[in-house]
Amino acid sequence: MDLRDYLRILHKNWILITALSLFGVIAGAGTSLIMTPKYQASTELYVSVRGEAQGISDLAQGSSIARQSVSTYAAIATTDSVLGPAIKELNLDLTSEELASRVQSSAPENQSLVILTVTGSDAQQTANIANAVGKSLKEIVEEELEASTVKGNPSLVSLNTVQPAFAPADPVSPRVSLNIVLGAVLGFAIGLGIAVLKFTLDTRIHSLHDVEQVTDAPLLGGITYDADASKRPLIVHSSPRSPRAESFRTLRTNLQFLAVSDSEQRHAHTFVISSAGAGEGKSTTSSNLALALAETGSRVLLIDADLRMPAIAKYMGIEGGVGLTDILIGKVEVADVLQRWGRDELYVLPSGKIPPNPSELLGSRAMDELLEVTGEYFDYVIIDSPPILLVTDAAVVGKRTNGVLLVAASASTRKQSLAGAVNSLQAAGGTLRGIVMTMLPTKGPDSYAYGAYGAYGAYAGDHLPDREQFSVEEPLNLRARRVER
């Protein structure tokens, strides 16, 4: 994963991440409100060694002994012999073990100090306990542990309070601001973790980066998403200045470059449009690509070779009862079933009746001769075929053309499906010329927008054309040749 992936994750899951972060803030604040406040009070005792001599060496030796003994005094501060008198003095309803859990004693390294810290829910009581324990420790050390062997002489070690304990003004816990920050950070981390997990488990294709992980084939075009695509599938005609129409024109331009580079090859201008699965926009792409090519003045033929679920006739608003299947079985001639569409040199060959053996018909000699005839007359032949993973029709036809363009729908097509389609096409001997991504979002890290064109506004005619308005009386000047089976 790179920075672009994380930006995509944040963009797609910002609501989830924000919600969990806010929940963490609320949880942190709520926890702080229900927690019992805890206070801490500390007292410091200085440990010194008494001696008759006043020499520097004696003083240094005494200080060294005091520092060595400090850790011992800190350790006994939580024993029953020290805590018992403090409990009795303050009349606490606690046992020595209970009080020991609230008292923390420490001895800083290379210092002659014993620090006693008491934690409790009552600010004043914590201060009183700290002072009482300090007093009890002083008495135990001076009067018992380090008492002079000579009667009447003072103790060899002295503990003096240098910092008495005072009632704290603010509790040490809960720290509301800290808990809120920690809650927000924890919520953000959980939200980001869930988002990353979703991203990792999501095998759908969203962007060019995902396509590059599956195949080295170039991305020939990206078609933006349109919620009304089903209502106006021919966007190049119904709204020619829309960003989505410009997407198809970009695809047209890239396809023209492919055609120029293959000008010496047979069927150099014949392309099959297919997809890995159903519902990815291959028929819509085929239709609009044919319209975009015809806009340039090229003579274009759109063939509906999806002999299982044909859709071109419906999209183009023409009669599809007689078409490709009738030509392949020798029932009609090519010129008799081609239908001119619009004012440009665009011709449509519908699928005709659905046969029981589509793959056999598409792989027949009759199909070869049909492609040869149309390839001689038309500048571009666009063939809409069924999904590759469902049937072999696209691979069968693809071997007889310039190549196959695979359509992959953003956030719908899965990586393994696209990879399977690529492998199936290669195994059948077909040539993959490129990928066309459809249903791309217009905003966000995966967007494929043409914002500049949107300023021109949409074409006024937002409906499919009246077929009679574009009727052509003159016959197509194509050799009336019956294709032999």
Side-chain angles (χ1 to χ4, degrees):
M1 293 177 58
D2 53 21
L3 179 60
R4 180 174 54 182
D5 293 326
Y6 284 105
L7 291 177
R8 184 181 298 111
I9 290 172
L10 291 175
H11 181 269
K12 291 184 176 181
N13 300 275
W14 69 270
I15 296 180
L16 171 66
I17 295 174
T18 302
L20 289 177
S21 299
L22 291 176
F23 178 79
V25 170
I26 296 173
T31 302
S32 301
L33 292 176
I34 63 176
M35 288 178 62
T36 302
K38 298 293 183 181
Y39 298 88
Q40 279 188 351
S42 299
T43 182
E44 297 181 5
L45 290 83
Y46 177 72
V47 181
S48 60
V49 178
R50 294 191 180 97
E52 298 291 338
Q54 299 297 322
I56 295 178
S57 60
D58 294 335
L59 291 175
Q61 183 178 5
S63 298
S64 177
I65 295 174
R67 285 193 295 270
Q68 295 174 3
S69 303
V70 164
S71 59
T72 302
Y73 303 149
I76 67 173
T78 55
T79 61
D80 182 68
S81 59
V82 175
L83 298 180
I87 293 174
K88 185 176 181 181
E89 177 184 351
L90 298 176
N91 195 25
L92 300 175
D93 188 18
L94 296 171
T95 63
S96 297
E97 291 77 9
E98 293 173 341
L99 181 58
S101 64
R102 297 168 54 179
V103 177
Q104 180 181 3
S105 60
S106 61
E109 189 176 359
N110 297 325
Q111 295 185 25
S112 301
L113 290 176
V114 175
I115 301 176
L116 301 176
T117 302
V118 179
T119 303
S121 58
D122 188 293
Q124 186 59 53
Q125 187 183 62
T126 56
N128 294 338
I129 293 175
N131 291 326
V133 173
K135 177 183 176 182
S136 177
L137 178 61
K138 173 181 173 66
E139 294 175 352
I140 292 295
V141 172
E142 293 182 352
E143 297 178 5
E144 297 183 16
L145 300 180
E146 303 294 349
S148 176
T149 56
V150 180
K151 187 177 181 180
N153 287 349
S155 172
L156 299 176
V157 177
S158 174
L159 273 69
N160 297 306
T161 302
V162 295
Q163 176 61 58
F166 297 98
D170 300 314
V172 293
S173 69
R175 298 181 180 180
V176 180
S177 58
L178 179 60
N179 289 344
I180 290 177
V181 172
L182 290 177
V185 172
L186 182 60
F188 178 84
I190 294 176
L192 183 61
I194 295 175
V196 170
L197 181 62
K198 289 173 56 181
F199 177 83
T200 304
L201 298 178
D202 186 7
T203 60
R204 295 173 297 177
I205 291 175
H206 296 274
S207 64
L208 173 60
H209 178 66
D210 297 329
V211 174
E212 292 173 345
Q213 295 177 349
V214 177
T215 176
D216 294 331
L219 179 69
L220 298 180
I223 312 303
T224 55
Y225 174 76
D226 183 6
D228 296 328
S230 60
K231 299 178 181 178
R232 49 176 191 174
L234 305 182
I235 192 68
V236 172
H237 170 77
S238 62
S239 185
R241 296 181 180 178
S242 65
R244 190 162 182 263
E246 291 301 329
S247 301
F248 285 106
R249 293 190 179 95
T250 300
L251 172 61
R252 173 195 67 191
T253 301
N254 293 333
L255 189 69
Q256 288 172 331
F257 280 116
L258 286 180
V260 170
S261 65
D262 295 334
S263 59
E264 299 300 325
Q265 297 184 18
R266 182 187 180 192
H267 305 304
H269 301 153
T270 303
F271 296 92
V272 174
I273 310 296
S274 184
S275 60
E280 299 184 25
K282 65 174 184 60
S283 298
T284 303
T285 300
S286 302
S287 303
N288 284 280
L289 176 59
L291 288 171
L293 287 168
E295 285 181 344
T296 64
S298 300
R299 183 168 291 175
V300 182
L301 172 61
L302 174 61
I303 300 177
D304 190 352
D306 189 343
L307 303 183
R308 302 169 190 270
M309 296 183 65
I312 297 298
K314 176 183 177 182
Y315 288 168
M316 305 301 290
I318 62 175
E319 173 60 40
V322 179
L324 177 61
T325 55
D326 299 282
I327 296 175
L328 296 181
I329 64 175
K331 187 176 181 180
V332 297
E333 295 183 358
V334 180
D336 297 334
V337 292
L338 293 186
Q339 302 183 47
R340 185 173 178 180
W341 198 96
R343 296 188 177 95
D344 298 318
E345 291 291 315
L346 172 61
Y347 295 84
V348 181
L349 176 59
S351 64
K353 296 180 181 178
I354 298 177
N357 56 341
S359 298
E360 288 75 10
L361 285 178
L362 294 175
S364 64
R365 180 183 174 186
M367 187 66 183
D368 289 339
E369 296 184 359
L370 173 63
L371 294 178
E372 181 179 352
V373 170
T374 56
E376 293 175 357
Y377 185 80
F378 291 96
D379 298 315
Y380 294 94
V381 178
I382 304 300
I383 304 175
D384 180 41
S385 62
I388 290 181
L389 290 184
L390 301 182
V391 291
T392 61
D393 299 9
V396 170
V397 179
K399 293 189 297 182
R400 296 167 166 80
T401 65
N402 175 242
V404 178
L405 307 184
L406 279 180
V407 174
S410 176
S412 177
T413 304
R414 299 194 177 275
K415 296 178 183 178
Q416 56 267 34
S417 298
L418 181 60
V422 172
N423 294 333
S424 298
L425 181 61
Q426 293 175 347
T431 303
L432 175 61
R433 302 311 305 272
I435 305 295
V436 180
M437 290 199 65
T438 60
M439 304 181 189
L440 284 168
T442 56
K443 297 180 180 179
D446 298 329
S447 63
Y448 197 95
Y450 291 85
Y453 292 101
Y456 290 104
Y459 178 62
D462 289 334
H463 302 286
L464 292 176
D466 185 355
R467 187 70 186 96
E468 296 180 357
Q469 179 183 357
F470 299 107
S471 61
V472 179
E473 296 181 358
E474 64 273 17
L476 175 65
N477 186 21
L478 178 67
R479 279 187 299 164
R481 174 177 174 180
R482 179 178 294 276
V483 180
E484 298 181 359
R485 286 178 290 172

